[in-house]
């Protein structure tokens, strides 16, 4: 969802807290405000409407992203979800000007199947919200690929045009995509750290990241959603058929790389006063 919290209202992709657990990743604002009213600022979270894809900037055709890269050889028994990602944050090199847009969006697209491992039905709204925000950023990037070569350049253009809080802004899309990624990062960090219960890890990750952007009703919905995740052993098996230590090792590497990117985004948003939690 498109949302920006508590400076100008709790900005989130669901508009009403009594909808389904759709506000999953961090959108309290969205569906009713975006799909029915199209308003820019929101005050309550709507767990039922997190999809942002339908609100990409008008008359914009996102530039096609390249196909999968060639993966290095690896013993099939040791292949994990993380090692088989065709585009990951591991290979994303931070440039002096910022985070390269195209590789970042490709890496984010490759995270979408991961959300299914948490529960393809329960977490479907989360996945839709992440994809919606990726689509918005792709649309913006497609307008001027050379000028918008980095995420910082995209946001800076909206800072200069005073449109960071405009409806469907790329600034807001990146904000909520960042918050969704922070939830995933926190969840994986809990698992890597040895948490034996995936439900406990998910609940802790939610409390550390998204809960502060949600109203009471949405938090209650999420308390149920977080408990719907699979058992830890089933979750790890879905991420790789080999030894648990191999899956955890790849997960730890992925988490470190994602954290590096999140740190860069958070620094830029903090310096420009764009994420007032």
């Amino acid at each position: 969802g498109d949302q920006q919290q508590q400076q100008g209202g709790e900005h989130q992709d669901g508009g009403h807290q009594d909808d389904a657990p759709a506000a999953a990743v961090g959108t309290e604002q969205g569906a009713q405000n975006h799909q029915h009213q199209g308003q820019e600022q929101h005050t309550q979270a709507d767990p039922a409407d997190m999809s942002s894809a339908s609100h990409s900037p008008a008359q914009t055709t996102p530039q096609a992203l390249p196909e999968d890269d060639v993966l290095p050889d690896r013993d099939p028994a040791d292949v994990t979800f993380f090692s088989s990602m065709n585009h990951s944050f591991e290979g994303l090199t931070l440039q002096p000007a910022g985070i390269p847009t195209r590789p970042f969006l490709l890496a984010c697209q490759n995270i979408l199947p991961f959300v299914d491992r948490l529960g393809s039905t329960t977490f479907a709204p989360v996945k839709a919200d992440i994809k919606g925000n990726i689509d918005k950023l792709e649309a913006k990037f497609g307008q001027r690929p050379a000028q918008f070569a980095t995420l910082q350049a995209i946001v800076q253009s909206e800072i200069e045009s005073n449109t960071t809080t405009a409806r469907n802004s790329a600034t807001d899309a990146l904000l909520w995509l960042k918050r969704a990624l922070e939830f995933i990062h926190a969840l994986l960090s809990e698992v890597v750290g040895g948490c034996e219960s995936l439900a406990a890890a998910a609940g802790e990750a939610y409390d550390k990241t998204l809960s502060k952007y949600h109203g009471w009703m949405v938090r209650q919905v999420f308390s149920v959603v977080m408990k719907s995740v699979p058992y830890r052993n089933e979750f790890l098996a879905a991420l790789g058929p080999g030894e648990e230590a191999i899956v955890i090792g790849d997960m730890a590497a992925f988490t470190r790389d994602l954290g590096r990117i999140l740190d860069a985004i958070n620094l830029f948003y903090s310096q420009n006063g764009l994420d007032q939690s």
Side-chain angles (χ1 to χ4, degrees), residues 8 10 29 32 60 78 89 95 116 127-128 147-148 153 182 251 265:
E10 273 190 8
Q29 174 184 24
Q32 300 216 350
T60 295
D78 295 337
F89 298 107
Q95 303 172 358
D116 291 330
K127 183 178 178 180
Q147 179 182 342
F148 296 151
E182 286 174 331
M251 183 184 296
I265 298 175

Side-chain angles (χ1 to χ4, degrees), residues 109-132:
Q109 287 176 338
N110 274 245
I111 286 180
L112 293 174
F114 168 80
V115 182
D116 291 330
R117 270 63 169 189
L118 295 173
S120 59
T121 300
T122 311
F123 279 81
V126 179
K127 183 178 178 180
D129 187 67
I130 294 174
K131 184 179 185 305

Side-chain angles (χ1 to χ4, degrees), residues 9-164:
E10 273 190 8
H11 193 85
Q12 304 180 341
D13 231 321
H16 300 6
Q17 299 182 353
D18 46 350
D19 286 335
V25 182
T27 46
E28 260 191 274
Q29 174 184 24
Q32 300 216 350
N33 287 328
H34 287 189
Q35 296 177 359
H36 304 312
Q37 296 176 344
Q39 293 182 352
E40 169 185 327
Q41 298 279 347
H42 313 283
T43 58
Q44 284 291 322
D46 180 348
D49 186 17
M50 303 195 22
S51 178
S52 320
S54 61
H55 301 297
S56 296
Q59 300 181 346
T60 295
T61 301
Q63 179 167 318
L65 295 172
E67 296 299 322
D68 296 340
D69 294 333
V70 177
L71 295 172
D73 293 334
R74 188 170 185 176
D75 188 325
D78 295 337
V79 170
T80 69
F81 173 85
F82 304 103
S83 68
S84 63
M85 293 177 72
N86 297 311
H87 303 279
S88 183
F89 298 107
E90 178 182 4
L92 204 164
T93 303
L94 295 179
Q95 303 172 358
I99 300 168
T101 303
R102 181 186 293 271
F104 173 80
L105 294 177
L106 287 168
C108 288
Q109 287 176 338
N110 274 245
I111 286 180
L112 293 174
F114 168 80
V115 182
D116 291 330
R117 270 63 169 189
L118 295 173
S120 59
T121 300
T122 311
F123 279 81
V126 179
K127 183 178 178 180
D129 187 67
I130 294 174
K131 184 179 185 305
N133 286 318
I134 293 172
D135 288 346
K136 286 185 179 182
L137 290 168
E138 285 183 0
K140 186 75 173 184
F141 173 68
Q143 293 176 3
R144 302 172 186 173
Q147 179 182 342
F148 296 151
T150 66
L151 297 177
Q152 285 85 342
I154 291 177
V155 175
Q156 186 62 43
S157 72
E158 294 188 343
I159 292 175
E160 294 172 358
S161 62
N162 196 29
T163 57
T164 58

